[in-house]
């Protein structure tokens, strides 16, 4: 057995199950889950049709590099979405089976934001690296405090994970922050893994979140040196079960990663590839999906923010809300009394410098249909008034 396995913490949803194990949720109220970031809008028909049509390819082993048509569709989409002039599908794009497995297998030695998507930590630990946590605090508008990282840590860093739009805070990185990180990456020779799994969930059609490749492009960083972006269809196209995403950026890194993946054995099924091509080539279902989230955030978020201090997120589908007292205690009582589940923030943060930046927060995922979210928010608001 890999000795590093002993360092892994239980996944936050395991901890949530343990927290709720002895709780009987109020039987008068149908349970509503706002704890898991799983999209619950329906998967578009065009994906399902393409998936069925693509099933004839199941008779052959797929290649790790992926079907040229899929690499082409991803590259074209990235160029359209981020205004990139050049992106070579043959050398700068790689299909992956959702961004999670790719984010995981990419790790070497690692700096991670805090709170954070838990895969970054597991990847670092199992690679034998020591994660260094960079807090995102309300005082700094939830920008990760990169400037607090000592030079000695940057000097040892091989990989930096950046999440924008961020899970859980919903914050989007700005151009000046990217510039700062690119300069650090050049100076200390490390790689930036930009997790952009939420890039297509935003609220203003006229203002899509700035992407890492676009930030590099704007700075004239031709070839995207030291940068790899991770994207996914899971949230964009409501297809978390499809397991489809991409890695794109620095051709030398994409090449090395492809070599690794050839041994790892993570080639995409042709049926999944066919559905993915259909999804990347269509923007209409993505706009319709965004409209559903925009409606929920416009109509429901203000009620939550009125009782639990929370910023309206720049993007993604979470509210990162301050709660009175202990966050796990709040989540357990909310579940018991109102049958609504949310994720305690301390479960997705780590204590550094004597504080866990997730402590005292809960993550509320507005993923369910509008009426269900509205009902959950009503219960959450009345509960918060009672305990606040
Ligand atoms: C920040 C972040 N990155 C990556 C993922 C993984 O998504 P997928 O593997 O479905 O692409 C998630 C899933 O919730 C996430 O929250």
């Amino acid at each position: 057995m890999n000795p590093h396995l002993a360092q892994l913490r239980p996944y936050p949803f395991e901890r949530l199950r343990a927290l709720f194990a002895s709780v009987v949720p109020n039987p008068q109220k149908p349970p509503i889950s706002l704890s898991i970031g799983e999209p619950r809008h329906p998967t578009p028909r065009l994906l399902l049709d393409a998936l069925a049509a693509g099933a004839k390819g199941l008779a052959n082993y797929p290649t790790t590099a992926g079907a040229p048509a899929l690499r082409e569709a991803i590259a074209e989409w990235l160029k359209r979405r981020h205004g990139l002039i050049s992106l070579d599908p043959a050398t700068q794009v790689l299909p992956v089976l959702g961004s999670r497995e790719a984010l995981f297998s990419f790790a070497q030695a690692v700096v991670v934001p805090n709170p954070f998507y838990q895969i970054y930590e597991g990847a670092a630990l199992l690679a034998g690296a020591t994660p260094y946590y960079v807090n995102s605090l309300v005082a700094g508008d939830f920008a990760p405090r990169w400037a607090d990282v000592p030079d000695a840590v940057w000097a040892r860093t091989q990989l930096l994970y950046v999440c924008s739009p961020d899970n859980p805070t919903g914050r989007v990185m700005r151009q000046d922050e990217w510039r700062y990180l690119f300069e650090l990456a050049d100076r200390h020779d490390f790689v930036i893994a930009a997790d952009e799994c939420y890039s297509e969930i935003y609220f203003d059609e006229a203002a899509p979140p700035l992407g890492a490749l676009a930030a590099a492009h704007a700075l004239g960083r031709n070839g995207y040196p030291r940068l790899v972006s991770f994207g996914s269809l899971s949230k964009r196209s409501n297809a978390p079960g499809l397991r489809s995403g991409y890695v794109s950026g620095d051709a030398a890194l994409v090449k090395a990663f492809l070599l690794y993946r050839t041994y790892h054995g993570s080639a995409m099924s042709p049926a999944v590839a066919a559905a993915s091509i259909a999804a990347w080539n269509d923007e209409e279902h993505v706009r319709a999906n965004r409209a559903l989230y925009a409606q929920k955030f416009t109509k429901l978020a203000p009620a939550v923010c009125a009782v639990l201090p929370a910023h309206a997120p720049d993007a993604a589908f979470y509210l990162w809300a301050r709660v009175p007292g202990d966050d796990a205690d709040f989540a357990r009582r909310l579940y018991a009394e109102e049958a609504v589940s949310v994720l305690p923030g301390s479960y997705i943060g780590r204590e550094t410098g004597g504080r866990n930046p997730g402590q005292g927060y809960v993550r509320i995922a507005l993923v369910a249909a509008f009426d269900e979210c509205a009902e959950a928010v009503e219960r959450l608001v009345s509960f918060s008034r009672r305990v606040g």
Side-chain angles (χ1 to χ4, degrees), residues 117-142:
Y117 182 51
Q118 302 289 292
I119 295 303
Y120 313 149
E121 180 185 71
L125 293 175
L126 289 178
T130 309
Y132 184 90
Y133 304 100
V134 186
N135 288 349
S136 306
L137 304 173
V138 65
D141 202 18
F142 295 114

Side-chain angles (χ1 to χ4, degrees), residues 98-100 103 117 120 163 167 195 197-198 232 234-235 243:
S99 52
R100 177 180 177 145
L103 285 161
Y117 182 51
Y120 313 149
C163 189
N167 170 5
D195 180 354
C197 160
Y198 292 96
S232 172
S234 298
K235 325 282 178 183
R243 310 312 306 135

Side-chain angles (χ1 to χ4, degrees), residues 2-17:
N2 181 341
H4 297 305
L5 277 172
Q7 290 173 277
L8 292 187
R9 322 267 182 116
Y11 210 65
F13 300 115
E14 285 303 320
R15 295 179 68 184
L16 192 65
R17 262 191 289 281

Side-chain angles (χ1 to χ4, degrees), residues 324-358:
D326 179 70
D327 48 299
D329 204 41
F330 180 94
R332 198 176 42 74
R333 281 190 57 194
L334 174 67
Y335 185 57
E337 293 176 32
E338 300 291 344
V340 169
S341 65
V342 296
L343 188 67
S346 58
Y347 287 11
I348 51 170
R350 292 288 175 268
E351 189 169 317
T352 52
R355 75 190 289 186
N356 177 336

Side-chain angles (χ1 to χ4, degrees), residues 290-306:
R290 270 198 293 274
L292 295 177
Y293 286 114
Q295 185 196 27
K296 286 187 275 189
F297 276 82
T298 314
K299 300 216 167 120
L300 304 178
V304 178
C305 298

